[in-house]
Amino acid sequence: KNQVEQSPQSLIILEGKNCTLQCNYTVSPFSNLRWYKQDTGRGPVSLTIMTFSENTKSNGRYTATLDADTKQSSLHITASQLSDSASYICVVRDSGGGADGLTFGKGTHLIIQP
Amino acid sequence: NAGVTQTPKFRILKIGQSMTLQCTQDMNHNYMYWYRQDPGMGLKLIYYSVGAGITDKGEVPNGYNVSRSTTEDFPLRLELAAPSQTSVYFCASKAALGYGGYGYTFGSGTRLTVV
């Protein structure tokens, strides 16, 4: 069964600090991995998407990495801002066909304190 | 550009009641999806559609029905509400299967409580 595990479950950091969120997956056959940001009471918004051949992808202060060999990904947030407070969801897509092929992680709840 | 619009934002139902969650998108996307998000859990696919007139079950379809009469609209129907259907429901759309871009656009969600 395809699974996506995220850690930590929740994280509190001070404004201006950096942080790294982790995602481990057992999805096969792998197609791509996405990171989403979900603000409280809102739908998820895409941050990055990476295919098998991509190791790193950035979107402003967000940098995602992918190690397809170890089936791990990370999302690094640089110089955090209060607006970064949200849940960050790792989503892995398989290429097996049918439905949406997506397996969602449970998310990491990030709180930025002033 | 409104994207994906869901109504209502909140709803309280009594056990056994029925309701329809509305979803409409103005991006001319072929693919549309309904997910539910339970507290502390990842999103689960309920139903999806690859185009007008075509729908199929996802991972957790029991207790729900959908229709897709137009490209824009993809309503989700709950016929006999049960407490287990208390959740936040998200509608999403995508231009085409296998699109390598950012792909999915999500609505803001409908928070449903069944009492």
Side-chain angles (χ1 to χ4, degrees):
Chain A
K1 180 181 178 181
N2 290 340
Q3 289 187 314
V4 175
E5 300 290 339
Q6 291 187 244
S7 61
Q9 186 174 7
S10 60
L11 181 62
I12 302 174
I13 64 172
L14 293 175
E15 184 180 11
K17 298 296 185 182
N18 304 334
C19 67
T20 300
L21 314 181
Q22 300 291 341
C23 174
N24 296 336
Y25 62 91
T26 55
V27 174
S28 182
F30 176 85
S31 176
N32 57 60
L33 184 146
R34 309 151 186 250
W35 282 94
Y36 283 85
K37 178 187 180 187
Q38 185 177 19
D39 292 317
T40 300
R42 308 291 293 177
V45 174
S46 184
L47 294 174
T48 65
I49 178 171
M50 289 184 292
T51 59
F52 182 88
S53 59
E54 297 174 295
N55 301 119
T56 302
K57 184 163 282 189
S58 293
N59 179 0
R61 294 179 296 102
Y62 301 99
T63 299
T65 66
L66 173 65
D67 186 334
D69 292 331
T70 62
K71 299 187 178 181
Q72 296 180 325
S73 176
S74 66
L75 181 69
H76 186 75
I77 304 174
T78 303
S80 61
Q81 300 176 359
L82 296 178
S83 59
D84 292 331
S85 294
S87 287
Y88 291 83
I89 303 172
C90 177
V91 186
V92 182
R93 186 170 191 268
D94 67 65
S95 56
D100 62 348
L102 301 181
T103 303
F104 288 79
K106 296 179 181 179
T108 291
H109 186 52
L110 177 64
I111 297 174
I112 310 299
Q113 289 186 337
Chain B
N1 189 354
V4 177
T5 303
Q6 291 184 236
T7 57
K9 294 189 181 300
F10 304 93
R11 183 72 185 270
I12 298 175
L13 279 182
K14 293 184 178 179
I15 295 172
Q17 286 185 322
S18 61
M19 75 165 294
T20 299
L21 283 66
Q22 301 292 344
C23 174
T24 187
Q25 52 92 8
D26 61 358
M27 298 170 285
N28 202 33
H29 284 174
N30 291 323
Y31 291 78
M32 296 189 74
Y33 307 86
W34 274 106
Y35 295 92
R36 60 177 288 173
Q37 185 177 37
D38 298 325
M41 302 297 290
L43 276 73
K44 299 292 185 183
L45 181 65
I46 304 171
Y47 269 95
Y48 69 103
S49 170
V50 301
I54 306 170
T55 63
D56 209 344
K57 297 178 180 178
E59 183 180 358
V60 289
N62 291 343
Y64 307 94
N65 276 301
V66 294
S67 60
R68 184 94 182 270
S69 57
T70 67
T71 299
E72 295 77 21
D73 300 308
F74 190 40
L76 178 71
R77 179 81 177 164
L78 282 71
E79 290 294 349
L80 293 170
S84 60
Q85 293 177 304
T86 294
S87 188
V88 181
Y89 292 83
F90 288 100
C91 179
S93 72
K94 193 161 75 77
L97 190 65
Y99 176 60
Y102 287 90
Y104 293 77
T105 301
F106 285 84
S108 296
T110 294
R111 183 174 295 276
L112 175 67
T113 302
V114 182
V115 295

